[in-house]
Amino acid sequence: MAAQTRREYQLTSDWKFSKGDVADAAKPDFNDTKWQAVSVPHDWAIYGPFDGNNDLQKVRIEQNNEQQATLKAGRTGGLPFVGTGWYRRQLLVPGFGPGQRAVLLFDGAMSDAHVFVNGREVGAWPYGYNSFSFDITSALQAKGPNTLAIRLRNQPESARWYPGAGLYRNVHLIVTNDVHIPVWGTTLTTPEITAQAARVRLRTQVEAPAGSRQALRLVTEIKDAAGKVLATSTSTLAPTDQPTFDQTLAVPQPKLWSPETPVLYTAASKLYAGQVLKDEYRTSFGIRSFTFAKDKGFLLNGQPRKFKGVCNHHDLGPLGTAVNTAALRRQLTLLKDMGCDAIRTSHNMPAPELVQLCDEMGLMLMVEAFDEWKSPKVKNGYSQYFDAWAEKDLVNMVHRDRNHPSVIMWSIGNEVPDQSNPNGPVLAKRLQDIVHREDPTRPVAAGMDRFDDDFKYGMAAVLDVPGFNYKPHRYAEALNKLPQGFLLGSETASTVSSRGVYKFPVVMAKEKKYADNQSSSYDLEFCSWSQTPDEEFVQQDDMPNVLGEFVWTGFDYLGEPTPYDEKWPSHSSMFGMLDLAGMPKDRYYLYRARWNTAQPTLHLLPHWTWPGREGQTTPVFCYTSYPSAELFVNGQSQGRQTKGPSDKPQTRYRLMWNDVKYAPGTLKVVAYDAQGKAVAEETVRTAGAPHHITLVPNRPTLAADGQDLAYVTASVVDAQGTRCPEATTQLRMKVSGAGRFRAVGNGDPTCLEPFHQPQMHAFSGQLVAIVQAANKPGDITLEVSGEGLQSAFLHLSTQVNP
């Protein structure tokens, strides 16, 4: 005899939204016909308009070594995220009746969520970054209709970057039998791994009506990626047993998970009461081992390695914070090409889609919980919730992500001011103990920035993995004091640059500001607390007990426009190796040359179109994985440079010709291998007048699912196809066929043009148009035009299961 098991519905469509606190909006009979129709995920604030008065903060940023409070216009992106918003939809639960349970699972809701079903509040969760669920069975009307309403509220001065607003992550309705496996109900570990077999331990929690639990049976099969069954286990629970199954299975000849080989398995479990199938539950996992050992560092599957990581905030640039799997996949693809193998989810829990993609694509994760503990950084930050909610938030974080092989460590905090008082280590130990209780298999880290206080009060000694932010010059001192015997560069560099912008003279500069609110892409400008990448590289290379680094940041993000925090219209960061639209900056190739050991890198900067600079000194840098190279200007050699140790870290990792005089024409570099053989070259040409547009998509075929995205880079080029690096033409986009225009970005941290309108000025000669697939197969045409330019056309296709 079979029974219907779990059903899961993603509540994407048919939502109504209203900004503002609307009286009686939770009531089922409320009239929402005039509300805006939206789909979820939805970020209500990304549509703007940008305004320097949005969340204008007068603050002294301690982390930036500021001595007095000043007005910060773009600190949280200059977008209107402050205030209350309501979402409503009808909740259809097909076939729901006696003997069934219904749960709402929120992947995240920004923020202070209050959830109502048929006018009754079924739960609340304040932290906007965490996932949470509520059992709504008792509030449902079996035959309907049912009304779901959610109230969200963002306070002013609640963030240090753009947090987003609304139901920006997915919402799920899960319907099960009353005997079932609850949300995040499994815990899977691989305690023993050999070449012959891996022992897999699966603990499965069961919920059943009180006093009526029958004898239960759990049948679990472990399958490989092709669906082949590799191991099976059957376990039973008597009615008097504790409601948790504990199964051990052996996987023969296991294939190990790593960033290079992200092999996944699935534990498929069936729960029976007597002969009746009550529930089915799948747990995706990987088989891998890791250790953090004194004097050995970090080992994955027995092999020592250092984290080549980046920190990332959660926004997706022109899409805002509304999560999209295709957008995340593109980000990870770009990071993987750079050689990146790890991400720190700064400074909060990530979207579950990111974690799953890291499992599949092979990136290690440091999943982070908090940016504040008890001591505030901003007026209305997490400190207001810490005492009542910190443990609940940590438990949900660990339970949701504990089975993912990509998750290597947890982080309990970032640069918390509590470092500077005796209670800081007490709090750190309490939080770490909670995480250990929920997951004994992974270490706990934190990002510390108050080096002297971390040793004076003792927080550095408490953590499993002591992480230091921007302290490469003190790593040796720390290692002499730390009982752990190792440390992590948990946040490094914070070098600033604007894509395609170069400033003269070329000098190393701290907190350098210009009239155009940009930073130079020679990658020698940084903040009062930070460094150039090269200074971190030296310590990573020379100190084996330094475990690697997480660079601030992989991508530019909305908010924190340092060093222009006080100068509108700056409203997005310049820390990224890739800009806000996901286009690589020069710095991307500096890291790629170091990190991507599978493919060569050869990259020249700057561009070579400088009318008016004829005869003036215009330094040329080369970022390359090759040891040496020779530079030519119009065929004339500028000499050969070789990377190597010196008193200047930059000469160890860059090839630099600092005395080149600009002359229009051709800039060419020839790279040599270790044996002195010429093996590669790159050429940069002076551009003529803008002539036409070229379009390059990140992928030509999309899934016809209504969600998939293509990112199309549009470049303004001359008649010969050379990009015009100074072009700022407004480009217009038109999409027809089985798709629609979704958004556009140009990577300019001062651009106030809205992302959702189909036109924008090019920045450094380029922008990125985002095209979204329809939910039917067919062809898509993108046309991009600009005044005085030949238009460009691009054809994409959408397919079912491409």
Side-chain angles (χ1 to χ4, degrees), residues 452-479:
D452 293 317
D453 286 349
D454 293 323
F455 287 98
K456 176 182 178 181
Y457 296 106
M459 186 165 152
V462 169
L463 298 164
D464 298 331
V465 180
F468 291 95
N469 294 3
Y470 312 110
K471 298 297 184 291
H473 55 292
R474 304 192 75 176
Y475 285 170
E477 179 185 352
L479 287 170

PDB file of all heavy atoms in Angstrom, residues 452-479:
ATOM      1  N   ASP A 452      46.240  43.764  18.588  1.00  0.00           N
ATOM      2  CA  ASP A 452      46.759  43.852  19.956  1.00  0.00           C
ATOM      3  C   ASP A 452      45.711  43.431  20.976  1.00  0.00           C
ATOM      4  O   ASP A 452      46.019  42.691  21.925  1.00  0.00           O
ATOM      5  CB  ASP A 452      47.251  45.273  20.236  1.00  0.00           C
ATOM      6  CG  ASP A 452      48.482  45.615  19.402  1.00  0.00           C
ATOM      7  OD1 ASP A 452      49.383  44.768  19.286  1.00  0.00           O
ATOM      8  OD2 ASP A 452      48.524  46.731  18.839  1.00  0.00           O
ATOM      9  N   ASP A 453      44.468  43.863  20.781  1.00  0.00           N
ATOM     10  CA  ASP A 453      43.399  43.485  21.705  1.00  0.00           C
ATOM     11  C   ASP A 453      43.081  41.995  21.615  1.00  0.00           C
ATOM     12  O   ASP A 453      42.695  41.379  22.613  1.00  0.00           O
ATOM     13  CB  ASP A 453      42.138  44.298  21.430  1.00  0.00           C
ATOM     14  CG  ASP A 453      42.261  45.739  21.913  1.00  0.00           C
ATOM     15  OD1 ASP A 453      43.229  46.035  22.630  1.00  0.00           O
ATOM     16  OD2 ASP A 453      41.389  46.552  21.557  1.00  0.00           O
ATOM     17  N   ASP A 454      43.250  41.416  20.436  1.00  0.00           N
ATOM     18  CA  ASP A 454      42.953  39.997  20.277  1.00  0.00           C
ATOM     19  C   ASP A 454      43.884  39.129  21.120  1.00  0.00           C
ATOM     20  O   ASP A 454      43.499  38.034  21.549  1.00  0.00           O
ATOM     21  CB  ASP A 454      43.047  39.599  18.799  1.00  0.00           C
ATOM     22  CG  ASP A 454      41.964  40.249  17.955  1.00  0.00           C
ATOM     23  OD1 ASP A 454      40.837  40.389  18.459  1.00  0.00           O
ATOM     24  OD2 ASP A 454      42.248  40.633  16.811  1.00  0.00           O
ATOM     25  N   PHE A 455      45.091  39.609  21.356  1.00  0.00           N
ATOM     26  CA  PHE A 455      46.005  38.897  22.253  1.00  0.00           C
ATOM     27  C   PHE A 455      45.901  39.392  23.687  1.00  0.00           C
ATOM     28  O   PHE A 455      46.011  38.604  24.633  1.00  0.00           O
ATOM     29  CB  PHE A 455      47.435  39.017  21.731  1.00  0.00           C
ATOM     30  CG  PHE A 455      47.675  38.174  20.506  1.00  0.00           C
ATOM     31  CD1 PHE A 455      47.622  38.732  19.236  1.00  0.00           C
ATOM     32  CD2 PHE A 455      47.916  36.819  20.616  1.00  0.00           C
ATOM     33  CE1 PHE A 455      47.820  37.963  18.108  1.00  0.00           C
ATOM     34  CE2 PHE A 455      48.110  36.028  19.488  1.00  0.00           C
ATOM     35  CZ  PHE A 455      48.067  36.602  18.233  1.00  0.00           C
ATOM     36  N   LYS A 456      45.654  40.669  23.858  1.00  0.00           N
ATOM     37  CA  LYS A 456      45.532  41.224  25.216  1.00  0.00           C
ATOM     38  C   LYS A 456      44.359  40.589  25.961  1.00  0.00           C
ATOM     39  O   LYS A 456      44.483  40.187  27.132  1.00  0.00           O
ATOM     40  CB  LYS A 456      45.340  42.732  25.135  1.00  0.00           C
ATOM     41  CG  LYS A 456      45.097  43.415  26.485  1.00  0.00           C
ATOM     42  CD  LYS A 456      44.874  44.911  26.309  1.00  0.00           C
ATOM     43  CE  LYS A 456      44.576  45.593  27.632  1.00  0.00           C
ATOM     44  NZ  LYS A 456      44.340  47.056  27.455  1.00  0.00           N
ATOM     45  N   TYR A 457      43.210  40.480  25.303  1.00  0.00           N
ATOM     46  CA  TYR A 457      42.020  39.940  25.962  1.00  0.00           C
ATOM     47  C   TYR A 457      41.827  38.446  25.691  1.00  0.00           C
ATOM     48  O   TYR A 457      41.039  37.792  26.383  1.00  0.00           O
ATOM     49  CB  TYR A 457      40.778  40.720  25.546  1.00  0.00           C
ATOM     50  CG  TYR A 457      40.823  42.165  25.998  1.00  0.00           C
ATOM     51  CD1 TYR A 457      41.060  43.194  25.087  1.00  0.00           C
ATOM     52  CD2 TYR A 457      40.658  42.501  27.340  1.00  0.00           C
ATOM     53  CE1 TYR A 457      41.110  44.518  25.499  1.00  0.00           C
ATOM     54  CE2 TYR A 457      40.711  43.832  27.767  1.00  0.00           C
ATOM     55  CZ  TYR A 457      40.943  44.830  26.842  1.00  0.00           C
ATOM     56  OH  TYR A 457      41.002  46.130  27.263  1.00  0.00           O
ATOM     57  N   GLY A 458      42.472  37.919  24.671  1.00  0.00           N
ATOM     58  CA  GLY A 458      42.510  36.479  24.502  1.00  0.00           C
ATOM     59  C   GLY A 458      41.624  35.876  23.436  1.00  0.00           C
ATOM     60  O   GLY A 458      41.531  34.653  23.336  1.00  0.00           O
ATOM     61  N   MET A 459      40.976  36.681  22.595  1.00  0.00           N
ATOM     62  CA  MET A 459      40.078  36.090  21.605  1.00  0.00           C
ATOM     63  C   MET A 459      40.830  35.256  20.577  1.00  0.00           C
ATOM     64  O   MET A 459      40.337  34.216  20.109  1.00  0.00           O
ATOM     65  CB  MET A 459      39.267  37.184  20.903  1.00  0.00           C
ATOM     66  CG  MET A 459      38.204  36.640  19.972  1.00  0.00           C
ATOM     67  SD  MET A 459      37.014  37.897  19.515  1.00  0.00           S
ATOM     68  CE  MET A 459      36.496  37.310  17.917  1.00  0.00           C
ATOM     69  N   ALA A 460      42.038  35.663  20.212  1.00  0.00           N
ATOM     70  CA  ALA A 460      42.792  34.937  19.188  1.00  0.00           C
ATOM     71  C   ALA A 460      43.072  33.501  19.610  1.00  0.00           C
ATOM     72  O   ALA A 460      43.132  32.599  18.761  1.00  0.00           O
ATOM     73  CB  ALA A 460      44.098  35.670  18.889  1.00  0.00           C
ATOM     74  N   ALA A 461      43.249  33.275  20.915  1.00  0.00           N
ATOM     75  CA  ALA A 461      43.570  31.932  21.401  1.00  0.00           C
ATOM     76  C   ALA A 461      42.344  31.035  21.481  1.00  0.00           C
ATOM     77  O   ALA A 461      42.473  29.808  21.531  1.00  0.00           O
ATOM     78  CB  ALA A 461      44.239  32.020  22.770  1.00  0.00           C
ATOM     79  N   VAL A 462      41.135  31.619  21.483  1.00  0.00           N
ATOM     80  CA  VAL A 462      39.905  30.843  21.665  1.00  0.00           C
ATOM     81  C   VAL A 462      39.510  30.104  20.395  1.00  0.00           C
ATOM     82  O   VAL A 462      39.068  28.954  20.432  1.00  0.00           O
ATOM     83  CB  VAL A 462      38.754  31.771  22.120  1.00  0.00           C
ATOM     84  CG1 VAL A 462      37.410  31.051  22.048  1.00  0.00           C
ATOM     85  CG2 VAL A 462      39.021  32.281  23.529  1.00  0.00           C
ATOM     86  N   LEU A 463      39.682  30.739  19.258  1.00  0.00           N
ATOM     87  CA  LEU A 463      39.131  30.234  18.005  1.00  0.00           C
ATOM     88  C   LEU A 463      39.879  29.008  17.500  1.00  0.00           C
ATOM     89  O   LEU A 463      41.102  28.907  17.629  1.00  0.00           O
ATOM     90  CB  LEU A 463      39.188  31.327  16.934  1.00  0.00           C
ATOM     91  CG  LEU A 463      38.367  32.587  17.225  1.00  0.00           C
ATOM     92  CD1 LEU A 463      38.807  33.717  16.303  1.00  0.00           C
ATOM     93  CD2 LEU A 463      36.885  32.302  17.067  1.00  0.00           C
ATOM     94  N   ASP A 464      39.132  28.086  16.889  1.00  0.00           N
ATOM     95  CA  ASP A 464      39.772  26.956  16.221  1.00  0.00           C
ATOM     96  C   ASP A 464      40.719  27.440  15.127  1.00  0.00           C
ATOM     97  O   ASP A 464      41.833  26.943  14.981  1.00  0.00           O
ATOM     98  CB  ASP A 464      38.721  26.042  15.583  1.00  0.00           C
ATOM     99  CG  ASP A 464      37.768  25.433  16.589  1.00  0.00           C
ATOM    100  OD1 ASP A 464      38.174  25.237  17.754  1.00  0.00           O
ATOM    101  OD2 ASP A 464      36.612  25.161  16.210  1.00  0.00           O
ATOM    102  N   VAL A 465      40.239  28.378  14.333  1.00  0.00           N
ATOM    103  CA  VAL A 465      41.034  28.943  13.236  1.00  0.00           C
ATOM    104  C   VAL A 465      41.090  30.458  13.431  1.00  0.00           C
ATOM    105  O   VAL A 465      40.112  31.157  13.139  1.00  0.00           O
ATOM    106  CB  VAL A 465      40.421  28.607  11.857  1.00  0.00           C
ATOM    107  CG1 VAL A 465      41.267  29.217  10.742  1.00  0.00           C
ATOM    108  CG2 VAL A 465      40.290  27.104  11.666  1.00  0.00           C
ATOM    109  N   PRO A 466      42.204  30.971  13.936  1.00  0.00           N
ATOM    110  CA  PRO A 466      42.297  32.425  14.112  1.00  0.00           C
ATOM    111  C   PRO A 466      42.474  33.120  12.768  1.00  0.00           C
ATOM    112  O   PRO A 466      43.419  32.845  12.023  1.00  0.00           O
ATOM    113  CB  PRO A 466      43.539  32.592  15.004  1.00  0.00           C
ATOM    114  CG  PRO A 466      44.349  31.356  14.779  1.00  0.00           C
ATOM    115  CD  PRO A 466      43.390  30.259  14.445  1.00  0.00           C
ATOM    116  N   GLY A 467      41.520  33.976  12.434  1.00  0.00           N
ATOM    117  CA  GLY A 467      41.574  34.716  11.182  1.00  0.00           C
ATOM    118  C   GLY A 467      41.931  36.163  11.445  1.00  0.00           C
ATOM    119  O   GLY A 467      41.345  36.805  12.315  1.00  0.00           O
ATOM    120  N   PHE A 468      42.885  36.686  10.686  1.00  0.00           N
ATOM    121  CA  PHE A 468      43.309  38.077  10.849  1.00  0.00           C
ATOM    122  C   PHE A 468      43.021  38.838   9.559  1.00  0.00           C
ATOM    123  O   PHE A 468      43.318  38.371   8.462  1.00  0.00           O
ATOM    124  CB  PHE A 468      44.794  38.156  11.204  1.00  0.00           C
ATOM    125  CG  PHE A 468      45.098  37.647  12.581  1.00  0.00           C
ATOM    126  CD1 PHE A 468      45.513  36.338  12.769  1.00  0.00           C
ATOM    127  CD2 PHE A 468      44.935  38.461  13.702  1.00  0.00           C
ATOM    128  CE1 PHE A 468      45.784  35.852  14.043  1.00  0.00           C
ATOM    129  CE2 PHE A 468      45.194  37.981  14.974  1.00  0.00           C
ATOM    130  CZ  PHE A 468      45.613  36.677  15.149  1.00  0.00           C
ATOM    131  N   ASN A 469      42.438  40.022   9.753  1.00  0.00           N
ATOM    132  CA  ASN A 469      42.104  40.884   8.628  1.00  0.00           C
ATOM    133  C   ASN A 469      43.174  41.965   8.475  1.00  0.00           C
ATOM    134  O   ASN A 469      43.429  42.730   9.415  1.00  0.00           O
ATOM    135  CB  ASN A 469      40.742  41.553   8.855  1.00  0.00           C
ATOM    136  CG  ASN A 469      39.594  40.562   8.851  1.00  0.00           C
ATOM    137  OD1 ASN A 469      39.793  39.362   8.727  1.00  0.00           O
ATOM    138  ND2 ASN A 469      38.374  41.064   8.981  1.00  0.00           N
ATOM    139  N   TYR A 470      43.849  41.989   7.316  1.00  0.00           N
ATOM    140  CA  TYR A 470      44.787  43.049   6.947  1.00  0.00           C
ATOM    141  C   TYR A 470      45.990  43.149   7.882  1.00  0.00           C
ATOM    142  O   TYR A 470      46.420  44.241   8.242  1.00  0.00           O
ATOM    143  CB  TYR A 470      44.057  44.403   6.884  1.00  0.00           C
ATOM    144  CG  TYR A 470      42.784  44.337   6.095  1.00  0.00           C
ATOM    145  CD1 TYR A 470      41.541  44.439   6.704  1.00  0.00           C
ATOM    146  CD2 TYR A 470      42.814  44.105   4.717  1.00  0.00           C
ATOM    147  CE1 TYR A 470      40.367  44.338   5.982  1.00  0.00           C
ATOM    148  CE2 TYR A 470      41.643  44.010   3.985  1.00  0.00           C
ATOM    149  CZ  TYR A 470      40.423  44.122   4.622  1.00  0.00           C
ATOM    150  OH  TYR A 470      39.263  44.018   3.903  1.00  0.00           O
ATOM    151  N   LYS A 471      46.556  42.006   8.254  1.00  0.00           N
ATOM    152  CA  LYS A 471      47.700  42.040   9.166  1.00  0.00           C
ATOM    153  C   LYS A 471      48.900  41.227   8.660  1.00  0.00           C
ATOM    154  O   LYS A 471      49.580  40.563   9.446  1.00  0.00           O
ATOM    155  CB  LYS A 471      47.282  41.504  10.542  1.00  0.00           C
ATOM    156  CG  LYS A 471      46.200  42.316  11.242  1.00  0.00           C
ATOM    157  CD  LYS A 471      46.653  43.732  11.557  1.00  0.00           C
ATOM    158  CE  LYS A 471      45.610  44.501  12.345  1.00  0.00           C
ATOM    159  NZ  LYS A 471      44.407  44.817  11.538  1.00  0.00           N
ATOM    160  N   PRO A 472      49.213  41.245   7.370  1.00  0.00           N
ATOM    161  CA  PRO A 472      50.334  40.405   6.918  1.00  0.00           C
ATOM    162  C   PRO A 472      51.653  40.751   7.588  1.00  0.00           C
ATOM    163  O   PRO A 472      52.484  39.871   7.824  1.00  0.00           O
ATOM    164  CB  PRO A 472      50.381  40.651   5.401  1.00  0.00           C
ATOM    165  CG  PRO A 472      49.723  41.983   5.212  1.00  0.00           C
ATOM    166  CD  PRO A 472      48.646  42.032   6.254  1.00  0.00           C
ATOM    167  N   HIS A 473      51.853  42.025   7.915  1.00  0.00           N
ATOM    168  CA  HIS A 473      53.105  42.448   8.535  1.00  0.00           C
ATOM    169  C   HIS A 473      53.253  41.949   9.967  1.00  0.00           C
ATOM    170  O   HIS A 473      54.335  42.071  10.560  1.00  0.00           O
ATOM    171  CB  HIS A 473      53.202  43.970   8.503  1.00  0.00           C
ATOM    172  CG  HIS A 473      52.034  44.678   9.128  1.00  0.00           C
ATOM    173  ND1 HIS A 473      50.764  44.642   8.567  1.00  0.00           N
ATOM    174  CD2 HIS A 473      51.928  45.423  10.254  1.00  0.00           C
ATOM    175  CE1 HIS A 473      49.937  45.335   9.333  1.00  0.00           C
ATOM    176  NE2 HIS A 473      50.607  45.810  10.356  1.00  0.00           N
ATOM    177  N   ARG A 474      52.173  41.344  10.530  1.00  0.00           N
ATOM    178  CA  ARG A 474      52.237  40.855  11.908  1.00  0.00           C
ATOM    179  C   ARG A 474      52.000  39.349  12.013  1.00  0.00           C
ATOM    180  O   ARG A 474      51.825  38.809  13.100  1.00  0.00           O
ATOM    181  CB  ARG A 474      51.228  41.627  12.780  1.00  0.00           C
ATOM    182  CG  ARG A 474      51.435  43.130  12.727  1.00  0.00           C
ATOM    183  CD  ARG A 474      50.661  43.862  13.788  1.00  0.00           C
ATOM    184  NE  ARG A 474      51.262  43.716  15.109  1.00  0.00           N
ATOM    185  CZ  ARG A 474      50.808  44.344  16.204  1.00  0.00           C
ATOM    186  NH1 ARG A 474      49.764  45.156  16.125  1.00  0.00           N
ATOM    187  NH2 ARG A 474      51.398  44.159  17.371  1.00  0.00           N
ATOM    188  N   TYR A 475      51.994  38.670  10.866  1.00  0.00           N
ATOM    189  CA  TYR A 475      51.768  37.223  10.884  1.00  0.00           C
ATOM    190  C   TYR A 475      52.838  36.505  11.708  1.00  0.00           C
ATOM    191  O   TYR A 475      52.532  35.593  12.484  1.00  0.00           O
ATOM    192  CB  TYR A 475      51.754  36.654   9.465  1.00  0.00           C
ATOM    193  CG  TYR A 475      50.497  36.929   8.659  1.00  0.00           C
ATOM    194  CD1 TYR A 475      50.458  36.648   7.296  1.00  0.00           C
ATOM    195  CD2 TYR A 475      49.354  37.457   9.253  1.00  0.00           C
ATOM    196  CE1 TYR A 475      49.307  36.876   6.538  1.00  0.00           C
ATOM    197  CE2 TYR A 475      48.202  37.706   8.500  1.00  0.00           C
ATOM    198  CZ  TYR A 475      48.194  37.414   7.138  1.00  0.00           C
ATOM    199  OH  TYR A 475      47.072  37.646   6.403  1.00  0.00           O
ATOM    200  N   ALA A 476      54.103  36.872  11.522  1.00  0.00           N
ATOM    201  CA  ALA A 476      55.181  36.188  12.248  1.00  0.00           C
ATOM    202  C   ALA A 476      55.012  36.364  13.753  1.00  0.00           C
ATOM    203  O   ALA A 476      55.177  35.412  14.533  1.00  0.00           O
ATOM    204  CB  ALA A 476      56.532  36.716  11.788  1.00  0.00           C
ATOM    205  N   GLU A 477      54.670  37.580  14.157  1.00  0.00           N
ATOM    206  CA  GLU A 477      54.434  37.853  15.577  1.00  0.00           C
ATOM    207  C   GLU A 477      53.274  37.019  16.100  1.00  0.00           C
ATOM    208  O   GLU A 477      53.343  36.441  17.200  1.00  0.00           O
ATOM    209  CB  GLU A 477      54.148  39.349  15.746  1.00  0.00           C
ATOM    210  CG  GLU A 477      53.865  39.787  17.165  1.00  0.00           C
ATOM    211  CD  GLU A 477      53.473  41.249  17.242  1.00  0.00           C
ATOM    212  OE1 GLU A 477      53.567  41.959  16.215  1.00  0.00           O
ATOM    213  OE2 GLU A 477      53.069  41.690  18.344  1.00  0.00           O
ATOM    214  N   ALA A 478      52.206  36.922  15.314  1.00  0.00           N
ATOM    215  CA  ALA A 478      51.036  36.151  15.748  1.00  0.00           C
ATOM    216  C   ALA A 478      51.382  34.671  15.902  1.00  0.00           C
ATOM    217  O   ALA A 478      50.990  34.028  16.879  1.00  0.00           O
ATOM    218  CB  ALA A 478      49.900  36.325  14.745  1.00  0.00           C
ATOM    219  N   LEU A 479      52.115  34.119  14.943  1.00  0.00           N
ATOM    220  CA  LEU A 479      52.438  32.694  14.998  1.00  0.00           C
ATOM    221  C   LEU A 479      53.302  32.354  16.206  1.00  0.00           C
ATOM    222  O   LEU A 479      53.250  31.229  16.722  1.00  0.00           O
ATOM    223  CB  LEU A 479      53.133  32.271  13.702  1.00  0.00           C
ATOM    224  CG  LEU A 479      52.214  32.184  12.475  1.00  0.00           C
ATOM    225  CD1 LEU A 479      53.019  32.013  11.205  1.00  0.00           C
ATOM    226  CD2 LEU A 479      51.200  31.050  12.622  1.00  0.00           C
TER     227      LEU A 479
END
